[in-house]
Amino acid sequence: MVSVPMVQERIPSLVYAEVRLADMARTGIDFQLVSVTPAQYHYWAGAAQAMNLSHAVNEGVAAHCAQRPGQLAGVGVFPLQHPDLAVAALEHEVEGLGFK
């Protein structure tokens, strides 16, 4: 069962790269993919808002991973409810932010 204290205890590892990297070193993890939670996929959003949200979320993930690019890589989110925008967002994340 998940509790509020359990989640609160893990927030620093999820938000702060230095805490994440220390946890990785302590547990012998060399490389980690970083993504947001499904609550941040924003599939309910209209076209313009979905594109803005996907860019904002992915730019945050990219900034987090840029702190240690040899050990962290981002997994992007895309406005899949708007297929035409999803392609444009994917191009932005791969070409502009360096996602793989």
Side-chain angles (χ1 to χ4, degrees):
M1 179 171 197
V2 177
S3 67
V4 171
M6 183 185 297
V7 172
Q8 289 174 331
E9 176 183 312
R10 286 161 177 77
I11 287 175
S13 296
L14 300 173
V15 175
Y16 302 109
E18 64 275 6
V19 177
R20 179 186 298 268
L21 292 163
D23 289 346
M24 289 169 59
R26 184 175 40 73
T27 57
I29 297 171
D30 298 322
F31 186 84
Q32 192 172 74
L33 292 173
V34 177
S35 69
V36 297
T37 66
Q40 294 175 312
Y41 293 171
H42 307 294
Y43 291 141
W44 50 263
Q49 188 176 28
M51 191 65 142
N52 290 336
L53 286 166
S54 74
H55 283 330
V57 168
N58 290 334
E59 287 167 6
V61 170
H64 183 82
C65 294
Q67 296 177 60
R68 194 65 64 87
Q71 289 183 276
L72 303 172
V75 176
V77 298
F78 307 96
L80 298 177
Q81 72 276 32
H82 306 289
D84 54 327
L85 296 179
V87 172
L90 177 61
E91 289 172 348
H92 175 262
E93 311 328 337
V94 171
E95 295 169 6
L97 298 178
F99 281 40
K100 305 281 183 231

